Amino acid sequence: MSQSDASTSDIIDNFVAPVCQARVEILYQDDDILLINKPSGLLSLSGKNPLNWDSVHYRLVNGQGATQSTKATPAFVEAKLPHRLDLWTSGVMVVGLHSDASKHLNKQFQARKVQKRYLAMLAGWVETDSGQISAPIAKDRALFPRVKICHTTGKSAISEYQVIRRLDNPLRTLVQYTPITGRTHQLRIHSLEFGHPIVGCDLYNNPELNNSLGVNNASQHLMLHASDIYFTHPTTGAPIHGHSPNPF
């Protein structure tokens, strides 16, 4: 059996996330939900490797201690994450604080009633001011944890983009992405697919490209940020808009 034919259970993941000193910031809180700002470099959920215990979920359930510049945050023992962000992706997330709220949020995500927007700094100048990338995505078992574009086995994936500004020295483009689907690494692989990889991407850029863009590859500074999320409040039914300002 070739490596590419291996099942997911055959893949050994020895990755250990670096220590993340940045804190999870609470943007909004009521009896049912939280809106939080996830820092880059923090797992959404704790990993199978016991060294990867620190995560957004762990910190929410156990609380965060106070520092010289920040207050402690309480423990939300029933907190659940209806969605995740990649380790190096920062930005806004919604959290369910009890079972009913979490179930309601999960249904919204499954029905694609939640809209998310991201900001991404891309290599080079994107010529068209707006557009759509449609390319099916499949797991790349030979290069775990990467994914690949595959028109045979891939699942449908669609990302819409809008150019915000084009920058010089080096040439870069700040875009707003609206993913219509939610595949793993969708925005990373779609950016690469149409010739403008995300600046600082550790998986789909080579070190020479990141260095030419002024990014130290060792810092793993992925310039992808979840800026906005739109959904329905699980109890009141009111429309909710969560926002996290652009950090780059």
Side-chain angles (χ1 to χ4, degrees):
M1 180 175 63
S2 68
Q3 185 177 10
S4 60
D5 293 329
S7 67
T8 303
S9 61
D10 294 327
I11 296 172
I12 299 174
D13 183 7
N14 293 318
F15 173 77
V16 176
V19 175
C20 179
Q21 300 292 350
R23 289 165 61 86
V24 174
E25 177 188 3
I26 297 176
L27 303 173
Y28 170 82
Q29 176 183 347
D30 62 26
D31 292 337
D32 308 294
I33 64 170
L34 295 177
L35 289 173
I36 63 170
N37 190 32
K38 173 193 171 298
S40 175
L42 181 65
L43 294 166
S44 290
L45 296 174
S46 302
K48 293 181 179 179
N49 188 320
L51 295 176
N52 289 330
W53 58 269
D54 191 20
S55 67
V56 171
H57 184 253
Y58 180 90
R59 294 188 187 190
L60 290 175
V61 170
N62 294 279
Q64 296 178 115
T67 68
Q68 290 182 343
S69 59
T70 59
K71 297 180 180 179
T73 58
F76 302 97
V77 294
E78 295 186 53
K80 294 287 190 297
L81 305 184
H83 67 124
R84 308 176 193 179
L85 293 177
D86 286 348
L87 171 66
W88 297 113
T89 304
S90 58
V92 65
M93 300 177 69
V94 60
V95 180
L97 291 182
H98 54 78
S99 177
D100 288 342
S102 297
K103 289 178 181 178
H104 194 287
L105 291 168
N106 283 333
K107 290 179 180 178
Q108 290 187 58
F109 276 95
Q110 291 168 2
R112 296 185 181 176
K113 293 183 177 180
V114 179
Q115 185 181 68
K116 294 178 285 183
R117 290 179 179 167
Y118 294 77
L119 294 172
M121 188 69 74
L122 305 185
W125 274 7
V126 177
E127 293 184 4
T128 56
D129 290 340
S130 62
Q132 186 182 88
I133 307 165
S134 179
I137 295 173
K139 293 180 180 179
D140 191 340
R141 293 187 173 90
L143 294 172
F144 180 83
R146 297 187 187 188
V147 299
K148 61 184 178 181
I149 302 299
C150 183
H151 294 273
T152 303
T153 61
K155 295 182 179 180
S156 173
I158 301 171
S159 306
E160 296 178 347
Y161 69 87
Q162 178 76 42
V163 170
I164 297 176
R165 74 176 64 90
R166 297 176 178 90
L167 304 168
D168 292 305
N169 301 318
L171 297 183
R172 292 154 294 147
T173 305
L174 180 64
V175 302
Q176 180 186 78
Y177 269 127
T178 302
I180 307 304
T181 53
R183 308 299 179 199
T184 298
H185 293 178
Q186 176 173 317
L187 297 182
R188 295 201 202 196
I189 195 69
H190 274 180
S191 298
L192 181 69
E193 175 69 9
F194 90 128
H196 299 280
I198 299 175
V199 175
C201 182
D202 58 315
L203 291 177
Y204 302 100
N205 287 6
N206 58 53
E208 290 77 14
L209 174 60
N210 280 335
N211 288 336
S212 72
L213 293 166
V215 176
N216 177 3
N217 218 45
S219 69
Q220 307 291 328
H221 185 45
L222 175 69
M223 292 193 177
L224 178 63
H225 179 72
S227 60
D228 297 270
I229 188 167
Y230 301 83
F231 61 98
T232 300
H233 193 283
T235 300
T236 68
I240 301 293
H241 172 206
H243 175 71
S244 174
N246 184 9
F248 48 81

